């Protein structure tokens, strides 16, 4: 299996690793098959901009690399932009993933969606009105 240099870089030096204590959006997702877990923390300001984002991934190298890249791609973006981020776009930003590892990138997309679902729920809003999947 061949990994791109970008995947190796984000795996070896993942960006935005950690926890945001006063996050107003937290999402956790897992893959039942491999047992890997990804947790995403965000601080979203009143303008709907994701000011801060951090993650913790207990999983394979591709899951770590895609979480890292996904956080880089949505940092400073609006909620709407973050909701449009697909796992394919994350994989492309990493110069591709081996086909057997594409499912790992799905976790990153799902973790962002889960955090934003939490964000709307905390506000007393119905996430389904905002997150169309
Ligand atoms: Fe589980 Fe990659 S093998 S996320």
């Amino acid at each position: 299996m061949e990994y791109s240099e970008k995947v190796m870089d984000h795996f070896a030096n993942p960006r935005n690793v950690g926890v945001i204590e006063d996050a107003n959006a937290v999402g956790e997702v897992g893959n039942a098959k491999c047992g890997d877990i990804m947790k995403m923390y965000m601080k979203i300001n009143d303008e709907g901009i994701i000011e801060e984002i951090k993650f913790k991934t207990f999983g394979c190298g591709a899951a770590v690399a895609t979480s890292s890249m996904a956080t880089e791609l949505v940092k400073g973006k609006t909620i709407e932009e973050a909701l449009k981020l697909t796992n394919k776009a994350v994989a492309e930003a990493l110069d591709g993933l081996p086909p057997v590892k594409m499912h790992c990138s799905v976790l990153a997309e799902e973790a962002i969606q889960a955090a934003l679902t939490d964000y709307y729920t905390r506000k007393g809003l119905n996430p389904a009105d905002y997150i169309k999947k």
Side-chain angles (χ1 to χ4, degrees):
M1 191 168 3
E2 284 272 319
Y3 284 115
S4 73
E5 266 176 41
K6 273 194 191 163
V7 173
M8 292 311 291
D9 176 35
H10 278 264
F11 170 58
N13 311 292
R15 327 299 199 258
N16 312 308
V17 173
V19 171
I20 300 176
E21 295 295 347
D22 57 345
N24 56 0
V26 181
E28 183 177 311
V29 293
N31 181 311
K33 270 199 190 139
C34 60
D36 291 351
I37 293 170
M38 193 182 288
K39 199 158 180 183
M40 209 60 98
Y41 302 82
M42 299 179 188
K43 236 177 131 169
I44 302 172
N45 71 14
D46 293 341
E47 278 81 52
I49 310 247
I50 300 164
E51 279 190 329
E52 255 188 84
I53 178 161
K54 289 203 185 291
F55 79 91
K56 282 233 160 148
T57 291
F58 304 92
C60 73
V64 171
T66 48
S67 339
S68 168
M69 180 53 92
T71 56
E72 285 287 273
L73 290 172
V74 303
K75 194 158 69 176
K77 300 277 165 59
T78 63
I79 294 172
E80 289 72 25
E81 286 169 313
L83 285 171
K84 282 192 204 126
L85 185 72
T86 61
N87 75 299
K88 261 189 84 192
V90 177
E92 270 164 30
L94 287 166
D95 291 338
L97 280 173
V100 296
K101 285 283 163 185
M102 271 312 277
H103 76 272
C104 314
S105 64
V106 174
L107 275 187
E109 179 185 323
E110 287 178 352
I112 289 173
Q113 307 256 346
L116 294 171
T117 299
D118 177 54
Y119 172 76
Y120 286 120
T121 307
R122 286 183 196 217
K123 279 181 156 311
L125 300 166
N126 180 3
D129 291 341
Y130 302 88
I131 301 173
K132 314 258 182 246
K133 269 251 101 180

